[in-house]
Amino acid sequence: MKKSPIEKREFYKQTIYIKRDDLLSKEFSGNKARKFYYFLENDFPHITRVVSYGSAQSNAMYSLSVLAKLRGWKFDYYVEHIASYLQENPHGNYKYALKNGMQVHIGQDIPILTKDDLLIEEGGRQKEAEYGLKILAQEILEWQEEQGFEELNVFLPSGTGTTALYLAKSFNTNEVARLKPSPPTVFTVPCVGDSEYLKKQFLMLEANEDLHPTILIPTKKRHFGKLYRDSYKIWLELQAKMGIEFDLLYDPQGWITLLENPQIFEKPTLYIHQGGLIGNESMLARYIRKYGEDI
Ligand SMILES: *Cc1c(COP(=O)(O)O)cnc(C)c1O
């Protein structure tokens, strides 16, 4: 995997650096590429099939379809339910995952697996994600060194929290970073459940709380996948002022919460762009239907 660039921008008078993991590659990009990198790089002589489950519009589902295609594996994906509109008019992640050869199973139990099957947990929450996130941490530490920044704050919004957790763990266990006065601090905000849920997710992957990210609590409760006027507004502003398209599911909550915590900007701050842009196709259509092209 080539390194992703880091760009310097201004937003609401704050200087911010953006790690463009959305540009990692055309198909296999964002944090899912980091989380699944282990399965791209290592040998799995037995595996012939990937099995996973979750929602029919998930970014992880799409990235797994790319992984399976690249590796020549079959891909079986289990969903509880699919909206009939989506089934009749495939779009977004669902459409492109089907194009990549995904077989979707609706309302069925996951079959009994064999040694030829690779099971991926919903959203890619699993230990193997650490492998690719160590590489992301290394890229950031090298950049920090080049910039001559003594300290650094890193921010990214969380779903399962796997990306934020392994990034924080990698910084705190990296040999070079540990020699510094302090390794980068990772801040995150829950987008799927509340902070209790996110803490539990972290604990499932890492018992040592010293290695966990710092959780910020948003001032307003937003439900995952629902549409909010302020989320749409900030997404349009990010695009207009920085010329960068962010994801519509996680990044609006991310940017709103980051701006609610200006103390973070007292140190150089790096925002991780985690990709997810294919999913915007369906989210944006919903936003335009609700609020129009602009607000
Ligand atoms: C999957 C995803 C996340 C959440 O990642 P976790 O590792 O589950 O916390 C955030 N942003 C985007 C764009 C994603 O696709």
mmCIF file of all heavy atoms in Angstrom, residues 34-74:
data_model
loop_
_atom_site.group_PDB
_atom_site.id
_atom_site.type_symbol
_atom_site.label_atom_id
_atom_site.label_comp_id
_atom_site.label_asym_id
_atom_site.label_seq_id
_atom_site.Cartn_x
_atom_site.Cartn_y
_atom_site.Cartn_z
ATOM 1 N N ARG A 34 -7.303 -0.199 5.725
ATOM 2 C CA ARG A 34 -6.329 -0.392 6.825
ATOM 3 C C ARG A 34 -6.727 -1.601 7.651
ATOM 4 O O ARG A 34 -5.889 -2.410 8.047
ATOM 5 C CB ARG A 34 -6.305 0.840 7.737
ATOM 6 C CG ARG A 34 -5.953 2.154 7.050
ATOM 7 C CD ARG A 34 -4.485 2.246 6.752
ATOM 8 N NE ARG A 34 -4.124 3.574 6.247
ATOM 9 C CZ ARG A 34 -2.888 3.898 5.854
ATOM 10 N NH1 ARG A 34 -1.909 3.009 5.899
ATOM 11 N NH2 ARG A 34 -2.632 5.103 5.396
ATOM 12 N N LYS A 35 -8.018 -1.709 7.959
ATOM 13 C CA LYS A 35 -8.476 -2.793 8.853
ATOM 14 C C LYS A 35 -8.355 -4.167 8.195
ATOM 15 O O LYS A 35 -8.094 -5.162 8.869
ATOM 16 C CB LYS A 35 -9.934 -2.546 9.286
ATOM 17 C CG LYS A 35 -10.025 -1.315 10.186
ATOM 18 C CD LYS A 35 -11.263 -1.138 11.028
ATOM 19 C CE LYS A 35 -12.600 -1.375 10.573
ATOM 20 N NZ LYS A 35 -13.615 -0.907 11.570
ATOM 21 N N PHE A 36 -8.552 -4.215 6.887
ATOM 22 C CA PHE A 36 -8.512 -5.510 6.181
ATOM 23 C C PHE A 36 -7.164 -5.781 5.512
ATOM 24 O O PHE A 36 -7.003 -6.781 4.822
ATOM 25 C CB PHE A 36 -9.634 -5.587 5.134
ATOM 26 C CG PHE A 36 -11.024 -5.487 5.721
ATOM 27 C CD1 PHE A 36 -12.041 -4.814 5.060
ATOM 28 C CD2 PHE A 36 -11.322 -6.061 6.957
ATOM 29 C CE1 PHE A 36 -13.323 -4.718 5.599
ATOM 30 C CE2 PHE A 36 -12.598 -5.970 7.506
ATOM 31 C CZ PHE A 36 -13.597 -5.295 6.828
ATOM 32 N N TYR A 37 -6.197 -4.890 5.724
ATOM 33 C CA TYR A 37 -4.902 -5.027 5.042
ATOM 34 C C TYR A 37 -4.227 -6.360 5.369
ATOM 35 O O TYR A 37 -3.596 -6.978 4.515
ATOM 36 C CB TYR A 37 -4.002 -3.855 5.442
ATOM 37 C CG TYR A 37 -2.783 -3.711 4.577
ATOM 38 C CD1 TYR A 37 -2.894 -3.625 3.191
ATOM 39 C CD2 TYR A 37 -1.507 -3.639 5.129
ATOM 40 C CE1 TYR A 37 -1.772 -3.487 2.387
ATOM 41 C CE2 TYR A 37 -0.380 -3.495 4.337
ATOM 42 C CZ TYR A 37 -0.521 -3.417 2.963
ATOM 43 O OH TYR A 37 0.588 -3.291 2.175
ATOM 44 N N TYR A 38 -4.384 -6.790 6.598
ATOM 45 C CA TYR A 38 -3.829 -8.075 7.035
ATOM 46 C C TYR A 38 -4.274 -9.206 6.108
ATOM 47 O O TYR A 38 -3.483 -10.088 5.759
ATOM 48 C CB TYR A 38 -4.301 -8.353 8.468
ATOM 49 C CG TYR A 38 -3.867 -9.682 9.026
ATOM 50 C CD1 TYR A 38 -2.633 -9.826 9.655
ATOM 51 C CD2 TYR A 38 -4.701 -10.799 8.936
ATOM 52 C CE1 TYR A 38 -2.227 -11.052 10.166
ATOM 53 C CE2 TYR A 38 -4.305 -12.027 9.447
ATOM 54 C CZ TYR A 38 -3.069 -12.140 10.054
ATOM 55 O OH TYR A 38 -2.682 -13.357 10.546
ATOM 56 N N PHE A 39 -5.543 -9.155 5.705
ATOM 57 C CA PHE A 39 -6.092 -10.236 4.880
ATOM 58 C C PHE A 39 -5.692 -10.098 3.407
ATOM 59 O O PHE A 39 -5.805 -11.041 2.644
ATOM 60 C CB PHE A 39 -7.625 -10.281 5.006
ATOM 61 C CG PHE A 39 -8.069 -10.550 6.412
ATOM 62 C CD1 PHE A 39 -8.653 -9.554 7.184
ATOM 63 C CD2 PHE A 39 -7.862 -11.799 6.983
ATOM 64 C CE1 PHE A 39 -9.044 -9.811 8.489
ATOM 65 C CE2 PHE A 39 -8.243 -12.057 8.294
ATOM 66 C CZ PHE A 39 -8.832 -11.063 9.047
ATOM 67 N N LEU A 40 -5.230 -8.908 3.046
ATOM 68 C CA LEU A 40 -4.752 -8.704 1.681
ATOM 69 C C LEU A 40 -3.306 -9.185 1.559
ATOM 70 O O LEU A 40 -2.904 -9.733 0.543
ATOM 71 C CB LEU A 40 -4.845 -7.208 1.327
ATOM 72 C CG LEU A 40 -4.533 -6.831 -0.118
ATOM 73 C CD1 LEU A 40 -5.582 -7.423 -1.056
ATOM 74 C CD2 LEU A 40 -4.484 -5.325 -0.288
ATOM 75 N N GLU A 41 -2.538 -8.984 2.620
ATOM 76 C CA GLU A 41 -1.093 -9.175 2.556
ATOM 77 C C GLU A 41 -0.597 -10.564 2.923
ATOM 78 O O GLU A 41 0.484 -10.954 2.512
ATOM 79 C CB GLU A 41 -0.426 -8.167 3.511
ATOM 80 C CG GLU A 41 -0.384 -6.772 2.967
ATOM 81 C CD GLU A 41 0.563 -6.658 1.801
ATOM 82 O OE1 GLU A 41 1.785 -6.739 2.000
ATOM 83 O OE2 GLU A 41 0.061 -6.508 0.685
ATOM 84 N N ASN A 42 -1.334 -11.277 3.769
ATOM 85 C CA ASN A 42 -0.805 -12.538 4.284
ATOM 86 C C ASN A 42 -1.341 -13.731 3.495
ATOM 87 O O ASN A 42 -2.278 -13.614 2.718
ATOM 88 C CB ASN A 42 -1.103 -12.650 5.777
ATOM 89 C CG ASN A 42 -0.274 -11.645 6.563
ATOM 90 O OD1 ASN A 42 0.924 -11.832 6.762
ATOM 91 N ND2 ASN A 42 -0.885 -10.550 6.967
ATOM 92 N N ASP A 43 -0.689 -14.871 3.711
ATOM 93 C CA ASP A 43 -1.088 -16.081 2.982
ATOM 94 C C ASP A 43 -2.175 -16.821 3.744
ATOM 95 O O ASP A 43 -2.052 -17.061 4.938
ATOM 96 C CB ASP A 43 0.117 -17.023 2.826
ATOM 97 C CG ASP A 43 1.057 -16.506 1.757
ATOM 98 O OD1 ASP A 43 0.580 -15.748 0.892
ATOM 99 O OD2 ASP A 43 2.256 -16.844 1.806
ATOM 100 N N PHE A 44 -3.218 -17.193 3.022
ATOM 101 C CA PHE A 44 -4.307 -17.986 3.606
ATOM 102 C C PHE A 44 -4.582 -19.148 2.661
ATOM 103 O O PHE A 44 -5.551 -19.116 1.898
ATOM 104 C CB PHE A 44 -5.563 -17.116 3.787
ATOM 105 C CG PHE A 44 -5.330 -15.927 4.673
ATOM 106 C CD1 PHE A 44 -4.935 -14.707 4.139
ATOM 107 C CD2 PHE A 44 -5.466 -16.044 6.047
ATOM 108 C CE1 PHE A 44 -4.695 -13.621 4.959
ATOM 109 C CE2 PHE A 44 -5.228 -14.956 6.877
ATOM 110 C CZ PHE A 44 -4.838 -13.744 6.330
ATOM 111 N N PRO A 45 -3.704 -20.151 2.694
ATOM 112 C CA PRO A 45 -3.791 -21.209 1.681
ATOM 113 C C PRO A 45 -5.142 -21.921 1.640
ATOM 114 O O PRO A 45 -5.567 -22.360 0.566
ATOM 115 C CB PRO A 45 -2.653 -22.169 2.055
ATOM 116 C CG PRO A 45 -2.101 -21.703 3.349
ATOM 117 C CD PRO A 45 -2.579 -20.324 3.601
ATOM 118 N N HIS A 46 -5.834 -22.025 2.794
ATOM 119 C CA HIS A 46 -7.099 -22.754 2.797
ATOM 120 C C HIS A 46 -8.287 -21.935 2.327
ATOM 121 O O HIS A 46 -9.259 -22.476 1.817
ATOM 122 C CB HIS A 46 -7.438 -23.216 4.224
ATOM 123 C CG HIS A 46 -6.602 -24.359 4.665
ATOM 124 N ND1 HIS A 46 -6.656 -25.573 4.038
ATOM 125 C CD2 HIS A 46 -5.680 -24.470 5.644
ATOM 126 C CE1 HIS A 46 -5.800 -26.385 4.622
ATOM 127 N NE2 HIS A 46 -5.185 -25.747 5.608
ATOM 128 N N ILE A 47 -8.200 -20.625 2.560
ATOM 129 C CA ILE A 47 -9.423 -19.815 2.420
ATOM 130 C C ILE A 47 -9.912 -19.737 0.977
ATOM 131 O O ILE A 47 -9.151 -19.442 0.060
ATOM 132 C CB ILE A 47 -9.185 -18.386 2.974
ATOM 133 C CG1 ILE A 47 -8.831 -18.428 4.472
ATOM 134 C CG2 ILE A 47 -10.379 -17.467 2.732
ATOM 135 C CD1 ILE A 47 -9.882 -19.033 5.358
ATOM 136 N N THR A 48 -11.214 -19.985 0.825
ATOM 137 C CA THR A 48 -11.835 -19.821 -0.496
ATOM 138 C C THR A 48 -13.040 -18.880 -0.433
ATOM 139 O O THR A 48 -13.592 -18.519 -1.454
ATOM 140 C CB THR A 48 -12.330 -21.178 -1.053
ATOM 141 O OG1 THR A 48 -13.252 -21.747 -0.109
ATOM 142 C CG2 THR A 48 -11.175 -22.144 -1.282
ATOM 143 N N ARG A 49 -13.433 -18.527 0.805
ATOM 144 C CA ARG A 49 -14.656 -17.749 0.927
ATOM 145 C C ARG A 49 -14.596 -16.804 2.138
ATOM 146 O O ARG A 49 -14.127 -17.202 3.213
ATOM 147 C CB ARG A 49 -15.829 -18.707 1.103
ATOM 148 C CG ARG A 49 -17.153 -18.022 1.377
ATOM 149 C CD ARG A 49 -18.307 -18.976 1.296
ATOM 150 N NE ARG A 49 -18.442 -19.755 2.531
ATOM 151 C CZ ARG A 49 -19.602 -20.202 3.005
ATOM 152 N NH1 ARG A 49 -20.717 -19.965 2.339
ATOM 153 N NH2 ARG A 49 -19.649 -20.902 4.116
ATOM 154 N N VAL A 50 -15.089 -15.583 1.951
ATOM 155 C CA VAL A 50 -15.271 -14.638 3.052
ATOM 156 C C VAL A 50 -16.750 -14.640 3.418
ATOM 157 O O VAL A 50 -17.606 -14.601 2.536
ATOM 158 C CB VAL A 50 -14.888 -13.200 2.641
ATOM 159 C CG1 VAL A 50 -15.095 -12.224 3.793
ATOM 160 C CG2 VAL A 50 -13.459 -13.137 2.159
ATOM 161 N N VAL A 51 -17.025 -14.688 4.726
ATOM 162 C CA VAL A 51 -18.402 -14.628 5.206
ATOM 163 C C VAL A 51 -18.504 -13.450 6.171
ATOM 164 O O VAL A 51 -17.652 -13.296 7.055
ATOM 165 C CB VAL A 51 -18.788 -15.937 5.933
ATOM 166 C CG1 VAL A 51 -20.197 -15.838 6.523
ATOM 167 C CG2 VAL A 51 -18.684 -17.136 4.991
ATOM 168 N N SER A 52 -19.495 -12.609 5.979
ATOM 169 C CA SER A 52 -19.687 -11.515 6.920
ATOM 170 C C SER A 52 -21.171 -11.160 7.003
ATOM 171 O O SER A 52 -21.991 -11.760 6.303
ATOM 172 C CB SER A 52 -18.845 -10.295 6.527
ATOM 173 O OG SER A 52 -18.854 -9.339 7.574
ATOM 174 N N TYR A 53 -21.487 -10.204 7.857
ATOM 175 C CA TYR A 53 -22.891 -9.853 8.082
ATOM 176 C C TYR A 53 -22.962 -8.391 8.515
ATOM 177 O O TYR A 53 -21.960 -7.807 8.944
ATOM 178 C CB TYR A 53 -23.495 -10.756 9.171
ATOM 179 C CG TYR A 53 -22.763 -10.658 10.488
ATOM 180 C CD1 TYR A 53 -23.214 -9.815 11.501
ATOM 181 C CD2 TYR A 53 -21.589 -11.367 10.704
ATOM 182 C CE1 TYR A 53 -22.521 -9.703 12.696
ATOM 183 C CE2 TYR A 53 -20.890 -11.257 11.899
ATOM 184 C CZ TYR A 53 -21.363 -10.434 12.886
ATOM 185 O OH TYR A 53 -20.657 -10.301 14.066
ATOM 186 N N GLY A 54 -24.160 -7.817 8.431
ATOM 187 C CA GLY A 54 -24.342 -6.421 8.839
ATOM 188 C C GLY A 54 -25.397 -5.775 7.969
ATOM 189 O O GLY A 54 -26.273 -6.470 7.441
ATOM 190 N N SER A 55 -25.289 -4.452 7.793
ATOM 191 C CA SER A 55 -26.327 -3.750 7.044
ATOM 192 C C SER A 55 -26.020 -3.796 5.548
ATOM 193 O O SER A 55 -24.871 -3.990 5.132
ATOM 194 C CB SER A 55 -26.459 -2.309 7.517
ATOM 195 O OG SER A 55 -25.784 -1.436 6.636
ATOM 196 N N ALA A 56 -27.057 -3.600 4.761
ATOM 197 C CA ALA A 56 -26.937 -3.721 3.305
ATOM 198 C C ALA A 56 -26.308 -2.482 2.663
ATOM 199 O O ALA A 56 -26.123 -2.458 1.452
ATOM 200 C CB ALA A 56 -28.312 -3.972 2.695
ATOM 201 N N GLN A 57 -26.005 -1.469 3.463
ATOM 202 C CA GLN A 57 -25.335 -0.300 2.882
ATOM 203 C C GLN A 57 -24.007 -0.037 3.566
ATOM 204 O O GLN A 57 -23.500 1.075 3.540
ATOM 205 C CB GLN A 57 -26.232 0.946 2.971
ATOM 206 C CG GLN A 57 -27.242 1.097 1.848
ATOM 207 C CD GLN A 57 -26.621 1.242 0.456
ATOM 208 O OE1 GLN A 57 -25.488 0.876 0.196
ATOM 209 N NE2 GLN A 57 -27.406 1.772 -0.472
ATOM 210 N N SER A 58 -23.428 -1.056 4.185
ATOM 211 C CA SER A 58 -22.242 -0.799 5.006
ATOM 212 C C SER A 58 -20.982 -0.593 4.156
ATOM 213 O O SER A 58 -20.804 -1.228 3.113
ATOM 214 C CB SER A 58 -22.094 -1.950 6.002
ATOM 215 O OG SER A 58 -20.839 -2.556 5.923
ATOM 216 N N ASN A 59 -20.123 0.296 4.618
ATOM 217 C CA ASN A 59 -18.847 0.534 3.948
ATOM 218 C C ASN A 59 -17.966 -0.715 4.053
ATOM 219 O O ASN A 59 -17.212 -1.022 3.133
ATOM 220 C CB ASN A 59 -18.120 1.721 4.584
ATOM 221 C CG ASN A 59 -18.843 3.045 4.362
ATOM 222 O OD1 ASN A 59 -19.665 3.165 3.455
ATOM 223 N ND2 ASN A 59 -18.546 4.035 5.187
ATOM 224 N N ALA A 60 -18.052 -1.410 5.193
ATOM 225 C CA ALA A 60 -17.232 -2.616 5.389
ATOM 226 C C ALA A 60 -17.626 -3.692 4.372
ATOM 227 O O ALA A 60 -16.772 -4.369 3.807
ATOM 228 C CB ALA A 60 -17.407 -3.141 6.810
ATOM 229 N N MET A 61 -18.919 -3.818 4.124
ATOM 230 C CA MET A 61 -19.408 -4.793 3.148
ATOM 231 C C MET A 61 -18.790 -4.534 1.770
ATOM 232 O O MET A 61 -18.278 -5.451 1.125
ATOM 233 C CB MET A 61 -20.940 -4.693 3.057
ATOM 234 C CG MET A 61 -21.575 -5.508 1.972
ATOM 235 S SD MET A 61 -23.278 -4.954 1.646
ATOM 236 C CE MET A 61 -22.986 -3.397 0.795
ATOM 237 N N TYR A 62 -18.811 -3.284 1.358
ATOM 238 C CA TYR A 62 -18.232 -2.953 0.057
ATOM 239 C C TYR A 62 -16.730 -3.290 0.017
ATOM 240 O O TYR A 62 -16.243 -3.921 -0.926
ATOM 241 C CB TYR A 62 -18.451 -1.461 -0.272
ATOM 242 C CG TYR A 62 -17.615 -1.046 -1.451
ATOM 243 C CD1 TYR A 62 -17.942 -1.480 -2.734
ATOM 244 C CD2 TYR A 62 -16.449 -0.303 -1.279
ATOM 245 C CE1 TYR A 62 -17.132 -1.169 -3.812
ATOM 246 C CE2 TYR A 62 -15.633 0.004 -2.347
ATOM 247 C CZ TYR A 62 -15.978 -0.424 -3.609
ATOM 248 O OH TYR A 62 -15.166 -0.134 -4.674
ATOM 249 N N SER A 63 -16.001 -2.893 1.066
ATOM 250 C CA SER A 63 -14.548 -3.141 1.070
ATOM 251 C C SER A 63 -14.244 -4.632 1.079
ATOM 252 O O SER A 63 -13.258 -5.073 0.478
ATOM 253 C CB SER A 63 -13.888 -2.449 2.263
ATOM 254 O OG SER A 63 -14.009 -1.054 2.120
ATOM 255 N N LEU A 64 -15.083 -5.419 1.754
ATOM 256 C CA LEU A 64 -14.881 -6.874 1.742
ATOM 257 C C LEU A 64 -15.107 -7.441 0.338
ATOM 258 O O LEU A 64 -14.440 -8.395 -0.063
ATOM 259 C CB LEU A 64 -15.815 -7.560 2.741
ATOM 260 C CG LEU A 64 -15.404 -7.426 4.207
ATOM 261 C CD1 LEU A 64 -16.479 -8.046 5.100
ATOM 262 C CD2 LEU A 64 -14.054 -8.093 4.468
ATOM 263 N N SER A 65 -16.036 -6.831 -0.403
ATOM 264 C CA SER A 65 -16.268 -7.318 -1.773
ATOM 265 C C SER A 65 -15.027 -7.059 -2.631
ATOM 266 O O SER A 65 -14.684 -7.863 -3.500
ATOM 267 C CB SER A 65 -17.514 -6.672 -2.385
ATOM 268 O OG SER A 65 -17.266 -5.335 -2.790
ATOM 269 N N VAL A 66 -14.349 -5.939 -2.357
ATOM 270 C CA VAL A 66 -13.111 -5.633 -3.097
ATOM 271 C C VAL A 66 -12.017 -6.619 -2.682
ATOM 272 O O VAL A 66 -11.323 -7.190 -3.535
ATOM 273 C CB VAL A 66 -12.641 -4.184 -2.825
ATOM 274 C CG1 VAL A 66 -11.326 -3.906 -3.541
ATOM 275 C CG2 VAL A 66 -13.699 -3.182 -3.256
ATOM 276 N N LEU A 67 -11.896 -6.835 -1.383
ATOM 277 C CA LEU A 67 -10.885 -7.786 -0.884
ATOM 278 C C LEU A 67 -11.090 -9.163 -1.518
ATOM 279 O O LEU A 67 -10.139 -9.782 -2.015
ATOM 280 C CB LEU A 67 -10.971 -7.877 0.651
ATOM 281 C CG LEU A 67 -10.087 -8.942 1.286
ATOM 282 C CD1 LEU A 67 -8.621 -8.536 1.245
ATOM 283 C CD2 LEU A 67 -10.502 -9.207 2.746
ATOM 284 N N ALA A 68 -12.332 -9.632 -1.496
ATOM 285 C CA ALA A 68 -12.628 -10.964 -2.032
ATOM 286 C C ALA A 68 -12.283 -11.028 -3.519
ATOM 287 O O ALA A 68 -11.707 -12.013 -3.991
ATOM 288 C CB ALA A 68 -14.105 -11.299 -1.797
ATOM 289 N N LYS A 69 -12.581 -9.960 -4.225
ATOM 290 C CA LYS A 69 -12.280 -9.935 -5.658
ATOM 291 C C LYS A 69 -10.764 -9.986 -5.896
ATOM 292 O O LYS A 69 -10.279 -10.755 -6.722
ATOM 293 C CB LYS A 69 -12.877 -8.672 -6.290
ATOM 294 C CG LYS A 69 -12.993 -8.757 -7.802
ATOM 295 C CD LYS A 69 -13.802 -7.625 -8.388
ATOM 296 C CE LYS A 69 -12.926 -6.399 -8.607
ATOM 297 N NZ LYS A 69 -13.608 -5.338 -9.351
ATOM 298 N N LEU A 70 -10.048 -9.148 -5.112
ATOM 299 C CA LEU A 70 -8.590 -9.106 -5.273
ATOM 300 C C LEU A 70 -7.954 -10.461 -4.965
ATOM 301 O O LEU A 70 -6.955 -10.836 -5.559
ATOM 302 C CB LEU A 70 -7.974 -8.031 -4.354
ATOM 303 C CG LEU A 70 -8.274 -6.571 -4.709
ATOM 304 C CD1 LEU A 70 -7.825 -5.640 -3.584
ATOM 305 C CD2 LEU A 70 -7.577 -6.180 -6.010
ATOM 306 N N ARG A 71 -8.542 -11.182 -3.999
ATOM 307 C CA ARG A 71 -7.943 -12.445 -3.578
ATOM 308 C C ARG A 71 -8.533 -13.657 -4.286
ATOM 309 O O ARG A 71 -8.107 -14.784 -4.051
ATOM 310 C CB ARG A 71 -8.118 -12.613 -2.062
ATOM 311 C CG ARG A 71 -7.508 -11.498 -1.254
ATOM 312 C CD ARG A 71 -6.197 -11.725 -0.586
ATOM 313 N NE ARG A 71 -5.474 -12.937 -0.805
ATOM 314 C CZ ARG A 71 -4.496 -13.372 -0.020
ATOM 315 N NH1 ARG A 71 -4.165 -12.693 1.061
ATOM 316 N NH2 ARG A 71 -3.845 -14.463 -0.286
ATOM 317 N N GLY A 72 -9.544 -13.426 -5.113
ATOM 318 C CA GLY A 72 -10.181 -14.564 -5.782
ATOM 319 C C GLY A 72 -11.002 -15.436 -4.844
ATOM 320 O O GLY A 72 -11.147 -16.637 -5.072
ATOM 321 N N TRP A 73 -11.543 -14.827 -3.783
ATOM 322 C CA TRP A 73 -12.390 -15.559 -2.842
ATOM 323 C C TRP A 73 -13.859 -15.287 -3.156
ATOM 324 O O TRP A 73 -14.211 -14.237 -3.677
ATOM 325 C CB TRP A 73 -12.110 -15.109 -1.394
ATOM 326 C CG TRP A 73 -10.737 -15.427 -0.892
ATOM 327 C CD1 TRP A 73 -9.907 -16.423 -1.333
ATOM 328 C CD2 TRP A 73 -10.013 -14.727 0.138
ATOM 329 N NE1 TRP A 73 -8.718 -16.402 -0.624
ATOM 330 C CE2 TRP A 73 -8.755 -15.376 0.278
ATOM 331 C CE3 TRP A 73 -10.296 -13.636 0.963
ATOM 332 C CZ2 TRP A 73 -7.798 -14.953 1.203
ATOM 333 C CZ3 TRP A 73 -9.347 -13.214 1.888
ATOM 334 C CH2 TRP A 73 -8.109 -13.869 2.009
ATOM 335 N N LYS A 74 -14.716 -16.227 -2.773
ATOM 336 C CA LYS A 74 -16.154 -15.964 -2.836
ATOM 337 C C LYS A 74 -16.523 -15.051 -1.659
ATOM 338 O O LYS A 74 -15.798 -14.994 -0.665
ATOM 339 C CB LYS A 74 -16.949 -17.268 -2.728
ATOM 340 C CG LYS A 74 -16.870 -18.102 -4.004
ATOM 341 C CD LYS A 74 -17.912 -19.215 -3.996
ATOM 342 C CE LYS A 74 -17.645 -20.201 -2.883
ATOM 343 N NZ LYS A 74 -18.586 -21.283 -2.733
#
